[in-house]
Amino acid sequence: QVQLVESGGGLVQAGGSLRLSCAASGSLFRIYAMAWFRQAPGNERELVASITNDYSADYADSVKGRFTISRDNAKNTVYLQMNSLKTEDTAVYYCNRRSRSQPWGQGTQVTVSS
């Protein structure tokens, strides 16, 4: 199993930016599609963005044009650059394989204030 450690969250005003990082253990990181998910209180965990092993990215409609997912296979790390943040982006953010097949990490809290 892969261990996933998210970081980079925090408190930011609406319109601000944050960059999240997710470090994954294991030697097979490069062959899997990875993704960022988020869960707000009372809501189900939802897919935010995903990136394939050949760097093709896809985004939820709610974040298109504002968020950018990227990966560094040499560092076993996936990133989420979040710009023009909105209060509705407030959630705990998690990374995982696109298939959600690995144990979830602790996530990183993102709070956007108005």
Side-chain angles (χ1 to χ4, degrees), residues 2 4 9 16 30 34 41 62 70 82 102:
V2 172
L4 301 163
R30 68 186 185 283
M34 296 296 295
S62 59
S70 61
M82 306 187 296
Q102 299 306 297

Side-chain angles (χ1 to χ4, degrees), residues 14-15 85-91 110-114:
L85 282 161
K86 303 177 180 180
T87 55
E88 52 262 45
D89 295 319
T90 295
V110 171
T111 303
V112 184
S113 64
S114 59

Side-chain angles (χ1 to χ4, degrees), residues 2 9 14 20 33-35 39 42-43 48 53-54 69 74-75 79-80 89 95 99 102 107-108:
V2 172
L20 307 184
M34 296 296 295
Q39 188 168 19
N43 291 355
V48 174
N53 59 351
D54 61 354
I69 189 171
K75 296 182 178 179
Y79 303 97
L80 187 68
D89 295 319
C95 71
S99 62
Q102 299 306 297
T108 187

